[in-house]
Amino acid sequence: MSLIDYLDSKNHLKDTLLIFMSDHGFFMPGYLYHLFNLNDFKIEQTLPTLLINIPKNISNFTKIDENLKSNEN
């Protein structure tokens, strides 16, 4: 069972803000991407990952959600 599944099964996600962050993102494994030096490989390999789960009952959820979406890039 994953952490998210566990928290969901205990109803903790209703009142818990989760933030997962890494210094590099999900990158495409594979020799061909590296061999051909594809731009997508370079971007995916170095792009940081930021995953946020915000409970909808948090105050100002709509404003926070809109702000995150407008600044996602």
Side-chain angles (χ1 to χ4, degrees):
M1 177 181 286
S2 72
L3 173 64
I4 302 291
D5 291 334
Y6 174 79
L7 292 172
D8 190 34
S9 72
K10 301 293 184 184
N11 291 321
H12 292 308
L13 292 180
K14 293 179 183 177
D15 60 1
T16 303
L17 173 71
L18 293 177
I19 299 175
F20 292 97
M21 193 171 104
S22 75
D23 59 348
H24 58 80
F26 306 111
F27 66 93
M28 300 174 291
Y31 180 70
L32 290 177
Y33 292 108
H34 183 68
L35 178 68
F36 293 112
N37 205 21
L38 298 175
N39 194 39
D40 288 345
F41 178 77
K42 291 179 193 175
I43 293 170
E44 289 294 325
Q45 191 173 23
T46 59
L47 187 66
T49 298
L50 178 62
L51 305 171
I52 301 174
N53 182 70
I54 303 171
K56 289 189 176 185
N57 63 352
I58 196 170
S59 63
N60 297 325
F61 172 81
T62 304
K63 190 173 187 176
I64 293 168
D65 187 48
E66 289 171 0
N67 189 21
L68 287 169
K69 286 179 182 175
S70 70
N71 290 294
E72 69 183 332
N73 291 325

